[in-house]
Structure formats: C-alpha cells, structure tokens
C-alpha cells in the first residue's frame, strides 16, 4: 500500500492522537498471529489497545492480544524515540512496495524499534529476496539513517 504525503501526515496525526505514553506497550515492538495464519505480524505499540501496523495497512488498529518481541531489550530504542522513528519511517517508507518475503512488517517494525531491518521469517530464502544472509533488507537501514541524519539526527545510533 502506497501512501500519499497527505495520507502520511494524516496517519501521523492519528498516531499523535492515539499514543498513550503511560501504556506498558507504548513504543515497543509487538507481534501476533492471526487465526489460521502461519506468519507472525509485527507492529509498534501505541496504547493498551492500539498497535501501529507496520505491514500492508500502515495504520493504527485495535488489538489487545499481542506479545512483546523477546530478545531485543538491549538493542531497542527508548519508547518515545521509537514512536518518533515510526513517524519519520512513514515519510521514508510510506511508498515502498510491501512484499511478504522482501519488505514486510517485520523488516519495518524491527528497523523502527532496533535499527535492524531484519526478517527472520523469510531469512531462509534470503537469496530470492535480495536480502543479506541474516535476513536484513540491503538498503533500508542506510536510506533511513541518511534521512534521519538530516531531519532528526538524535534518532540515529
């Protein structure tokens, strides 16, 4: 799903209206599975009930049953930084083509939350998807880093 500049700004305003810094899920990378779906889906927590879908939807939606992604505590950004990175990521990647193996919700969600555009679910077919052998998208990190260097350098590592 490709978003226009106006749609992106509307989504950012929606994030600002929904985001609840007092929520334990605020600014954290979350994942969940849908019934009869073998894949894990990824998003950024906005509140106790709302998640930002970093997949095809690129929008907030209500879902209370989601898990914190384990094993990223030492590399994750602080929640407020993650939310700011999310808003900037929309401006950068809002028009990128979503593909299940090559650029998906896990790539974008992990890039926002940890600075690593990695997808473990499609890692085993990395050579078919123009990824590195460890499942990272080859250009997303540099594109985002370059953008943030200009507009919000404090959100880079």
């Amino acid at each position: 799903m490709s978003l226009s500049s106006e749609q992106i700004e509307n989504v950012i305003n929606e994030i600002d209206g929904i985001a609840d810094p007092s929520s334990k899920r605020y600014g954290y990378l979350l994942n969940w599975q849908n019934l009869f779906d073998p894949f894990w889906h990824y998003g950024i927590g906005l509140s106790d009930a709302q998640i930002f879908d970093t997949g095809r939807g690129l929008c907030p939606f209500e879902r209370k049953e989601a898990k914190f992604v384990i094993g990223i505590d030492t590399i994750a950004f602080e929640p407020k930084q993650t939310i700011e990175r999310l808003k900037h990521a929309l401006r950068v990647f809002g028009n990128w083509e979503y593909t299940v193996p090559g650029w998906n919700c896990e790539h974008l969600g992990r890039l926002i939350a940890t600075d690593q555009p990695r997808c473990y679910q499609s890692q085993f077919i990395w050579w078919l998807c123009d990824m590195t052998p460890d499942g990272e998208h080859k250009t997303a990190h540099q594109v985002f880093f370059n953008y943030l260097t200009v507009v919000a350098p404090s959100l880079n590592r």
Side-chain angles (χ1 to χ4, degrees):
M1 173 180 191
S2 183
L3 300 177
S4 70
S5 296
E6 182 179 341
Q7 288 172 313
I8 289 168
E9 294 309 314
N10 288 340
V11 170
I12 289 170
N13 288 335
E14 188 175 1
I15 290 168
D16 288 337
I18 293 170
D20 176 7
S22 69
S23 168
K24 65 181 179 177
R25 296 182 352 164
Y26 174 81
Y28 283 91
L29 182 62
L30 305 172
N31 63 6
W32 64 93
Q33 278 188 295
N34 296 325
L35 195 59
F36 305 116
D37 185 350
F39 299 105
W40 283 94
H41 302 278
Y42 286 76
I44 305 296
L46 299 174
S47 71
D48 288 340
Q50 297 285 325
I51 299 173
F52 187 86
D53 178 7
T54 55
R56 288 190 179 154
L58 290 179
C59 63
F61 73 105
E62 187 169 327
R63 181 168 195 119
K64 293 182 182 174
E65 310 82 29
K67 299 176 181 186
F68 291 93
V69 174
I70 58 172
I72 66 166
D73 294 344
T74 60
I75 60 172
F77 285 88
E78 292 297 319
K80 184 175 176 156
Q81 288 179 301
T82 300
I83 296 298
E84 290 306 309
R85 286 173 59 88
L86 166 61
K87 292 188 271 187
H88 286 293
L90 287 171
R91 293 181 179 111
V92 176
F93 302 109
N95 62 358
W96 279 36
E97 181 181 350
Y98 178 94
T99 62
V100 172
W103 178 248
N104 60 43
C105 62
E106 186 175 0
H107 285 110
L108 182 56
R110 286 183 184 274
L111 175 61
I112 292 165
T114 70
D115 215 26
Q116 296 177 345
R118 184 172 290 167
C119 178
Y120 291 101
Q121 296 178 98
S122 58
Q123 179 180 2
F124 67 96
I125 55 169
W126 65 271
W127 66 91
L128 294 173
C129 309
D130 199 29
M131 292 187 296
T132 66
D134 60 0
E136 288 200 17
H137 189 278
K138 288 183 177 177
T139 60
H141 178 268
Q142 192 63 51
V143 168
F144 197 39
F145 179 86
N146 291 346
Y147 173 84
L148 289 175
T149 296
V150 173
V151 302
S154 65
L155 296 177
N156 272 332
R157 289 212 165 114

